[in-house]
Amino acid sequence: MSEPLEFAVVGCGRVVRELHVPAWNGIEGAHPRAVCDQDLPAAERMQRRLSADEVYRSIEELLAGEPDLDFLVVATPGHTHSGITRRALEAGCHVLCEKPFTYELDEVEELRSLADRHDLIVCPIHNYRFKSNTRDALSRFGAGGDPVRHVDLKWRGLPLEDRHTEWIKREREHRLVLYDFAYHFLDVVQLLLGESPEIEFLDVEATAEYTGSIEAVLRAGDRTAGVDLRLDSPSSFTAMEITGESASASLEYYPDGFRTLPEIDTPLHRGIGDLRRVLAYGLRFAASKPGWALPQNAVGHHRLFEGFLDAVRGNGENPVPLGSVEPLIDLLERLGTAAYEEH
């Protein structure tokens, strides 16, 4: 058996704690060499959770102290991702990078060129592509399935003052509605549309502190999407509905579900679908407690991590090649310019 791949995690916040730690469980052939966070107590807690060998407080200290790392996991605040990815590539490390990968399309090309020069793999963590319900939707609709006619996305987020992390409260500065809160959902929308769409309509409500709402109509050929994103809502939820040429479906999250809609969708049909979804979630949740199964929300990360390790070993392709991320970054950059610079 080959030697385990040595890796370090940069950023020890909630995403790593709740998603990465369970996702690495059951994956063989990777050893957490170090963790890194400027919050030393958080880094020490993560060291214990991952059974990592070393703790560092800066990316400079980490790369100097661990010159033989195989790859780096970047899970810091989104506006730092491209800079840390660049440093890791220059140090000879493959990279797994949490969302958002970058804020600008030009940076994607720059980092891809840098990775190619060093013969390294960069894999953005677009874990929603690997969730079972998203896979079901992408196989049922779009390329090879029922042609998509329209996608509706509705997202609601809780007030920023309820958030515990200070940088998240600076929504306008970091464009968080687009580049954090709705990032994965917009990725699924553009995958269903099949290409980066044009923006036909955009309406934005914003204050000096945050963007309250973004409503848009997108078009890619004869396919359209309606996007309705609203922050500062009294309740938090995400709903996505797909209309194809021969069928419609509901794509649901928290807990995850995918339901093909009947010709007449009644409260009874929706109730039965919700019951099945909750039961499946409950069974998996119960099985995850003694370690018999992964928590549902970590499955996408687990599948992506396995694919990434295979690619690093030369046994497979990059599960999220940078070319597949460019349409989303292109869309976000255009929406972001209109929503944050012109409003």
Side-chain angles (χ1 to χ4, degrees), residues 287-302:
S288 70
K289 288 304 178 181
W292 299 337
L294 281 170
Q296 186 185 73
N297 61 350
V299 170
H301 278 84
H302 181 86

mmCIF file of all heavy atoms in Angstrom, residues 287-302:
data_model
loop_
_atom_site.group_PDB
_atom_site.id
_atom_site.type_symbol
_atom_site.label_atom_id
_atom_site.label_comp_id
_atom_site.label_asym_id
_atom_site.label_seq_id
_atom_site.Cartn_x
_atom_site.Cartn_y
_atom_site.Cartn_z
ATOM 1 N N ALA A 287 -28.016 6.862 12.344
ATOM 2 C CA ALA A 287 -26.912 5.965 12.031
ATOM 3 C C ALA A 287 -25.562 6.673 12.128
ATOM 4 O O ALA A 287 -24.529 6.021 12.338
ATOM 5 C CB ALA A 287 -27.097 5.379 10.637
ATOM 6 N N SER A 288 -25.565 7.996 11.987
ATOM 7 C CA SER A 288 -24.293 8.727 12.037
ATOM 8 C C SER A 288 -23.764 8.853 13.461
ATOM 9 O O SER A 288 -22.555 9.000 13.658
ATOM 10 C CB SER A 288 -24.456 10.118 11.420
ATOM 11 O OG SER A 288 -25.251 10.950 12.244
ATOM 12 N N LYS A 289 -24.641 8.805 14.442
ATOM 13 C CA LYS A 289 -24.202 9.001 15.830
ATOM 14 C C LYS A 289 -23.219 7.931 16.296
ATOM 15 O O LYS A 289 -22.193 8.251 16.888
ATOM 16 C CB LYS A 289 -25.415 9.092 16.750
ATOM 17 C CG LYS A 289 -26.196 10.390 16.610
ATOM 18 C CD LYS A 289 -25.292 11.590 16.831
ATOM 19 C CE LYS A 289 -25.993 12.907 16.650
ATOM 20 N NZ LYS A 289 -25.072 14.051 16.844
ATOM 21 N N PRO A 290 -23.489 6.648 16.066
ATOM 22 C CA PRO A 290 -22.483 5.639 16.443
ATOM 23 C C PRO A 290 -21.410 5.444 15.376
ATOM 24 O O PRO A 290 -20.557 4.561 15.508
ATOM 25 C CB PRO A 290 -23.316 4.370 16.620
ATOM 26 C CG PRO A 290 -24.478 4.546 15.709
ATOM 27 C CD PRO A 290 -24.773 6.018 15.680
ATOM 28 N N GLY A 291 -21.460 6.225 14.303
ATOM 29 C CA GLY A 291 -20.449 6.123 13.265
ATOM 30 C C GLY A 291 -20.768 5.115 12.189
ATOM 31 O O GLY A 291 -19.888 4.744 11.395
ATOM 32 N N TRP A 292 -22.022 4.657 12.095
ATOM 33 C CA TRP A 292 -22.393 3.684 11.072
ATOM 34 C C TRP A 292 -22.585 4.324 9.700
ATOM 35 O O TRP A 292 -22.569 3.644 8.685
ATOM 36 C CB TRP A 292 -23.683 2.958 11.470
ATOM 37 C CG TRP A 292 -23.551 2.193 12.748
ATOM 38 C CD1 TRP A 292 -22.402 1.730 13.324
ATOM 39 C CD2 TRP A 292 -24.611 1.801 13.621
ATOM 40 N NE1 TRP A 292 -22.676 1.082 14.500
ATOM 41 C CE2 TRP A 292 -24.031 1.100 14.705
ATOM 42 C CE3 TRP A 292 -25.997 1.962 13.600
ATOM 43 C CZ2 TRP A 292 -24.778 0.576 15.746
ATOM 44 C CZ3 TRP A 292 -26.750 1.441 14.636
ATOM 45 C CH2 TRP A 292 -26.146 0.752 15.694
ATOM 46 N N ALA A 293 -22.834 5.609 9.656
ATOM 47 C CA ALA A 293 -23.060 6.299 8.390
ATOM 48 C C ALA A 293 -22.591 7.742 8.521
ATOM 49 O O ALA A 293 -22.494 8.279 9.621
ATOM 50 C CB ALA A 293 -24.551 6.256 8.009
ATOM 51 N N LEU A 294 -22.302 8.357 7.387
ATOM 52 C CA LEU A 294 -21.949 9.771 7.371
ATOM 53 C C LEU A 294 -23.186 10.620 7.609
ATOM 54 O O LEU A 294 -24.285 10.272 7.160
ATOM 55 C CB LEU A 294 -21.379 10.152 6.005
ATOM 56 C CG LEU A 294 -19.930 9.811 5.690
ATOM 57 C CD1 LEU A 294 -19.677 10.065 4.219
ATOM 58 C CD2 LEU A 294 -18.992 10.638 6.543
ATOM 59 N N PRO A 295 -23.054 11.761 8.300
ATOM 60 C CA PRO A 295 -24.170 12.718 8.331
ATOM 61 C C PRO A 295 -24.507 13.141 6.908
ATOM 62 O O PRO A 295 -23.623 13.275 6.067
ATOM 63 C CB PRO A 295 -23.609 13.897 9.146
ATOM 64 C CG PRO A 295 -22.441 13.341 9.893
ATOM 65 C CD PRO A 295 -21.887 12.237 9.052
ATOM 66 N N GLN A 296 -25.789 13.365 6.644
ATOM 67 C CA GLN A 296 -26.212 13.692 5.284
ATOM 68 C C GLN A 296 -25.485 14.905 4.727
ATOM 69 O O GLN A 296 -25.096 14.929 3.548
ATOM 70 C CB GLN A 296 -27.724 13.937 5.258
ATOM 71 C CG GLN A 296 -28.280 14.147 3.860
ATOM 72 C CD GLN A 296 -29.753 14.513 3.884
ATOM 73 O OE1 GLN A 296 -30.106 15.621 4.260
ATOM 74 N NE2 GLN A 296 -30.608 13.578 3.503
ATOM 75 N N ASN A 297 -25.258 15.918 5.567
ATOM 76 C CA ASN A 297 -24.648 17.142 5.048
ATOM 77 C C ASN A 297 -23.163 16.993 4.742
ATOM 78 O O ASN A 297 -22.558 17.902 4.151
ATOM 79 C CB ASN A 297 -24.875 18.309 6.018
ATOM 80 C CG ASN A 297 -24.250 18.074 7.383
ATOM 81 O OD1 ASN A 297 -23.797 16.971 7.685
ATOM 82 N ND2 ASN A 297 -24.241 19.092 8.213
ATOM 83 N N ALA A 298 -22.539 15.865 5.124
ATOM 84 C CA ALA A 298 -21.114 15.658 4.848
ATOM 85 C C ALA A 298 -20.867 14.719 3.674
ATOM 86 O O ALA A 298 -19.713 14.518 3.273
ATOM 87 C CB ALA A 298 -20.410 15.112 6.091
ATOM 88 N N VAL A 299 -21.925 14.159 3.101
ATOM 89 C CA VAL A 299 -21.761 13.171 2.027
ATOM 90 C C VAL A 299 -21.098 13.790 0.804
ATOM 91 O O VAL A 299 -20.210 13.193 0.184
ATOM 92 C CB VAL A 299 -23.121 12.550 1.652
ATOM 93 C CG1 VAL A 299 -23.012 11.709 0.382
ATOM 94 C CG2 VAL A 299 -23.638 11.685 2.797
ATOM 95 N N GLY A 300 -21.530 15.001 0.423
ATOM 96 C CA GLY A 300 -20.944 15.642 -0.744
ATOM 97 C C GLY A 300 -19.453 15.871 -0.586
ATOM 98 O O GLY A 300 -18.662 15.627 -1.518
ATOM 99 N N HIS A 301 -19.045 16.368 0.586
ATOM 100 C CA HIS A 301 -17.612 16.559 0.853
ATOM 101 C C HIS A 301 -16.861 15.227 0.785
ATOM 102 O O HIS A 301 -15.774 15.145 0.205
ATOM 103 C CB HIS A 301 -17.413 17.182 2.234
ATOM 104 C CG HIS A 301 -17.594 18.665 2.268
ATOM 105 N ND1 HIS A 301 -18.816 19.254 2.385
ATOM 106 C CD2 HIS A 301 -16.688 19.689 2.208
ATOM 107 C CE1 HIS A 301 -18.670 20.573 2.407
ATOM 108 N NE2 HIS A 301 -17.397 20.864 2.302
ATOM 109 N N HIS A 302 -17.426 14.197 1.380
ATOM 110 C CA HIS A 302 -16.773 12.884 1.422
ATOM 111 C C HIS A 302 -16.508 12.369 0.004
ATOM 112 O O HIS A 302 -15.387 11.930 -0.309
ATOM 113 C CB HIS A 302 -17.655 11.902 2.194
ATOM 114 C CG HIS A 302 -17.078 10.532 2.333
ATOM 115 N ND1 HIS A 302 -16.210 10.187 3.342
ATOM 116 C CD2 HIS A 302 -17.240 9.413 1.586
ATOM 117 C CE1 HIS A 302 -15.867 8.914 3.216
ATOM 118 N NE2 HIS A 302 -16.478 8.423 2.157
#
